[in-house]
Amino acid sequence: MIKELERIVRDFTKAVKAKDLNETLEQDYLFHKIYASYTQNPILENILDNLTSFIQDRVWKIIKKEYLFTNTYNKKTLENHRNILNALKNRDLNQLIFYIEMHYDTIIRGLKK
């Protein structure tokens, strides 16, 4: 799982640099799907699946396209993904929960803009 998440973070970074909206969102979706499945918690998996499905929705993409490629959003998302990955690598549950909460705060703030 760690190697797969590392690859996704690399691919996410490349997609952001290329300003490839569909690939950026696809890598984001995969990141969430993999770490959700790792929890083996069907409730969490379902919540994350619904959230990421909404993010991939065509209307949301159109509305949020400019926001998705702001340096602030992408920098924060990439930082959050890396922090989550590092917490998983270190098997640090407290850090993991902290960074997941930070990441979802970033997403919620983005949805409000």
Side-chain angles (χ1 to χ4, degrees):
M1 177 195 68
I2 297 296
K3 294 287 183 201
E4 195 169 1
L5 289 174
E6 288 173 333
R7 180 195 53 78
I8 290 168
V9 168
R10 281 192 308 273
D11 291 347
F12 179 86
T13 303
K14 290 177 190 174
V16 167
K17 287 180 181 177
K19 294 198 175 199
D20 183 336
L21 178 62
N22 289 328
E23 187 62 21
T24 298
L25 293 176
E26 177 65 18
Q27 295 307 315
D28 194 38
Y29 170 77
L30 291 173
F31 184 87
H32 291 257
K33 183 176 180 174
I34 290 168
Y35 86 72
S37 68
Y38 183 70
T39 67
Q40 298 181 350
N41 179 332
I43 295 169
L44 180 59
E45 287 180 66
N46 189 37
I47 290 168
L48 287 173
D49 191 49
N50 287 328
L51 176 63
T52 52
S53 292
F54 173 75
I55 288 172
Q56 289 190 318
D57 183 71
R58 184 172 178 221
V59 173
W60 194 83
K61 285 182 194 178
I62 292 167
I63 293 169
K64 294 294 184 182
K65 183 174 184 175
E66 291 304 314
Y67 177 68
L68 287 170
F69 286 110
T70 62
N71 286 334
T72 303
Y73 177 80
N74 285 319
K75 181 180 178 185
K76 194 64 179 165
T77 298
L78 188 54
E79 178 184 321
N80 288 332
H81 284 191
R82 286 180 178 151
N83 288 335
I84 290 167
L85 177 58
N86 287 330
L88 286 167
K89 282 181 181 179
N90 297 330
R91 298 178 179 256
D92 187 327
L93 181 59
N94 290 329
Q95 266 193 344
L96 179 61
I97 291 169
F98 175 77
Y99 289 124
I100 288 172
E101 287 175 354
M102 282 184 61
H103 187 39
Y104 286 100
D105 286 346
T106 301
I107 292 169
I108 290 167
R109 281 193 306 275
L111 291 172
K112 290 180 179 179
K113 290 189 179 208

